[in-house]
Amino acid sequence: MSPGSDDVGRRNKKRQQKQKQGTPLRVDLETMQAGWQALIDWVRTTFQNRVRLDTLRPLPQFLGISVATGCLHGEAFSPPVRLRHLDKSAAEKIKSRFSLNFQYFITNYVLIALLVATVVALMHPGMVLFVGVLYALWTAHTAWGYQELFMFGVELHVYLTYPLRSNVLTALTLLVVIWKCFWPAIHAVVISTLLIAAHALLRDPKHIDLTVGDEQLEDDYTGPLATDDNDEEGGMSSSDSSAVLVERPKQ
């Protein structure tokens, strides 16, 4: 066998190995920015029709406080299922309770998450400082763009090119996120999730009363909820003045 044929065989083997390994994954800054923008657009589209000031429920209604007495209603909060009535429908009742309250109080829940995030951020002033500096640097980087910049006779745009600035700021952002923002963000998410989940599971929709002047709410939310464990025990009838609020689909 000639040496030339050996070289051809080696090249073919290398080519086959590269094909098996596949093309390496490359993620550049523009791809990351496009992904974040798509996520932001999805969140905005999802909540723009639900999170509005006109769907912010009054505090007495959210906390189950009676408007007449000014006190917390004794039956405003209750478990979705009783321990002695656990059956196959328990999971469905829990899911229904959570879904109904989440849809009705979604604006209140978003406000709770924002308040918790604000309090956690104020408890970490160093994080706020670093995030503010990063925001200023990214703003200056975007405003500078590809324009020429001279300082004391030095052509800064030659040394600080757009790709170099982007890479440096991306690395600094990741460093600040991991070093300063990770644990505060985890704390904010955990606290918000616990508060929202507890309210959505324990707030009894049967005791959500429409306050005076809520004619629009009466048009959008109506209808009784299926009988639950309290009804089976005779502790509550379907003719009570409190009715569950079920959202009608928009026409």
Side-chain angles (χ1 to χ4, degrees), residues 85-104:
H85 289 95
L86 290 177
D87 52 18
K88 296 182 179 179
S89 63
E92 185 64 27
K93 290 180 180 179
I94 295 175
K95 180 180 178 181
S96 177
R97 168 78 68 88
F98 185 89
S99 177
L100 183 63
N101 282 330
F102 189 83
Q103 292 179 15
Y104 186 68

Side-chain angles (χ1 to χ4, degrees), residues 2 48 70 111 136 142 146 158 177 199 203 212-214 228 238 251:
S2 62
Q48 66 180 355
L111 182 60
T142 304
Y146 291 93
V158 175
V177 168
H199 184 277
R203 185 69 171 96
V212 178
D214 283 340
D228 61 3
S238 60
Q251 299 296 334

